[in-house]
Amino acid sequence: MSTIRAAIVGYGNLGQSVEKLIGRQPDMTLVGVFSRRASLDTEAPVYPVDSIADHADEVDVLFLCLGSAKDIPDLAPQYAAFANTVDTYDNHRDIPRHRSAMHEAASAAGTTAIISTGWDPGMFSLNRTIASAVLPDAQQHTFWGPGLSQGHSDAVRGVAGVRKGVQYTLPSEEALQQARAGEAGGLSGKEAHVRQCWIVADEADQERIAEEIRTMPDYFAGYRTEVHFIDEETFDRDHTGMPHGGHVVTTADTGGHHHSIEYILKLDRNPDFTAAVQVAYGRAAHRMRQAGQVGAYTVLEVAPYLLSPTPLEELIARDV
């Protein structure tokens, strides 16, 4: 088994989780972390983020542990010019544009880019596709939470004046039960959830910050959004955990017989699970590049066996 040389770009919560998960893989080694910061609390080599091109020959896969609001759209195509990349871009509406930009960059460079990994988009995307393909004329609903959203929290923290901030997504229990019974009809994701923000900011900035958050396109506009301002001590006490999870509920009737497929995730720590999925797709990116499959791919386009360190023959004998 050859060893995949992995590197991390960005060393926030997700980057630290990716480092931990790489250390548990039988076929990966961490060769370095690229960061804007000169000093990090890690034993891995740390390099300036603008030196990636100088180390391209040392890296098989770059794990892009960056924010979806600005960094990934702006920077990911540049990094795809130097190495295979895996990101966790989570702006659902913009994924086709992001895929196109990454496909152009990776195809030109002869690299492989797997985009929008994690659990949603990611594992939930796979389940939505499979369940709706299996059940004809299905009703399908995705519920997020209760839990903290990394991408939305990153977007909140990007608002000028926000010193600390998190965003929780809360599903409606009534809507969840309706979906399971096949009675949710045209219920939209915006109707079935509340977005709840907890912010530390100066009082003079709070009205402006609340308005910017509630009207932020793609993240909060159109949702029922609560913005709460608290002091730093309360934030540190009550809002530093990172749980999350959710449900994908698919129901259908096949001539008088009700069928339901429900996929559930309960995550103690969102960054760890997101990192675990991202790292598995890093293995797939390396294998696809070796097979000549260059360009950009979503999780829907990657064969499941490529994610596993277990040989295909063993997977077939064990799991099929």
Side-chain angles (χ1 to χ4, degrees):
M1 181 185 296
S2 61
T3 299
I4 300 169
R5 301 168 301 170
I8 297 168
V9 183
Y11 200 66
N13 290 316
L14 180 59
Q16 293 171 46
S17 291
V18 167
E19 178 182 33
K20 177 169 61 176
L21 268 296
I22 289 172
R24 303 191 65 172
Q25 306 304 312
D27 57 348
M28 288 190 190
T29 185
L30 180 63
V31 298
V33 177
F34 294 93
S35 175
R36 298 185 182 101
R37 292 177 283 166
S39 178
L40 302 175
D41 185 17
T42 176
E43 296 181 1
V46 178
Y47 304 107
V49 73
D50 58 5
S51 70
I52 290 176
D54 298 332
H55 298 274
D57 291 341
E58 306 162 23
V59 176
D60 295 316
V61 180
L62 280 175
F63 291 105
L64 306 185
C65 301
L66 305 168
S68 290
K70 295 180 180 178
D71 285 346
I72 290 179
D74 292 344
L75 300 174
Q78 300 176 31
Y79 300 145
F82 306 122
N84 304 321
T85 61
V86 184
D87 69 49
T88 60
Y89 187 63
D90 67 352
N91 185 344
H92 291 263
R93 287 178 56 187
D94 193 50
I95 286 173
R97 183 215 57 80
H98 178 56
R99 180 179 179 275
S100 179
M102 292 300 286
H103 188 70
E104 180 179 356
S107 296
T111 60
T112 301
I114 300 180
I115 69 163
S116 299
T117 66
W119 61 275
D120 196 9
M123 304 303 289
F124 274 14
S125 309
L126 292 170
N127 188 263
R128 282 190 289 262
T129 298
I130 293 171
S132 61
V134 169
L135 293 178
D137 302 317
Q139 282 191 25
Q140 189 169 77
H141 299 278
T142 302
F143 295 86
W144 301 283
L148 181 144
S149 168
Q150 292 180 91
H152 286 73
S153 295
D154 179 69
V156 162
R157 289 189 290 268
V159 175
V162 173
R163 296 204 302 273
K164 293 184 178 181
V166 293
Q167 186 261 302
Y168 300 99
T169 302
L170 309 175
S172 162
E173 184 61 32
E174 180 182 1
L176 183 56
Q177 294 305 325
Q178 289 175 341
R180 287 169 173 159
E183 299 171 352
L187 182 74
S188 71
K190 292 183 178 181
E191 294 169 333
H193 298 86
V194 175
R195 297 205 180 280
Q196 191 178 80
C197 305
W198 298 87
I199 306 295
V200 178
D202 293 339
E203 186 174 353
D205 296 327
Q206 290 179 4
E207 185 176 348
R208 172 188 56 79
I209 288 170
E211 179 64 15
E212 286 192 31
I213 289 172
R214 291 191 181 103
T215 58
M216 189 181 296
D218 300 321
Y219 285 88
F220 298 99
Y223 281 90
R224 183 153 61 95
T225 301
E226 301 174 1
V227 182
H228 303 278
F229 293 95
I230 53 177
D231 60 50
E232 193 160 356
E233 181 181 357
T234 302
F235 185 96
D236 291 343
R237 184 190 67 221
D238 298 338
H239 298 286
T240 54
M242 297 184 183
H244 218 315
H247 308 249
V248 176
V249 181
T250 308
T251 60
D253 185 290
T254 57
H257 301 282
H258 178 77
H259 306 281
S260 176
I261 301 172
E262 184 167 354
Y263 183 70
I264 302 173
L265 288 177
K266 296 181 180 180
L267 314 177
D268 278 351
R269 193 170 188 276
N270 191 356
D272 279 8
F273 187 82
T274 300
V277 179
Q278 187 178 13
V279 167
Y281 276 95
R283 177 178 296 110
H286 175 64
R287 291 173 172 177
M288 291 169 71
R289 168 80 177 278
Q290 289 184 314
Q293 295 176 262
V294 301
Y297 300 85
T298 65
V299 298
L300 302 183
E301 302 165 87
V302 179
Y305 79 93
L306 294 174
L307 279 64
S308 176
T310 303
L312 176 60
E313 293 76 12
E314 291 184 33
L315 290 174
I316 293 171
R318 186 189 75 187
D319 296 334
V320 176

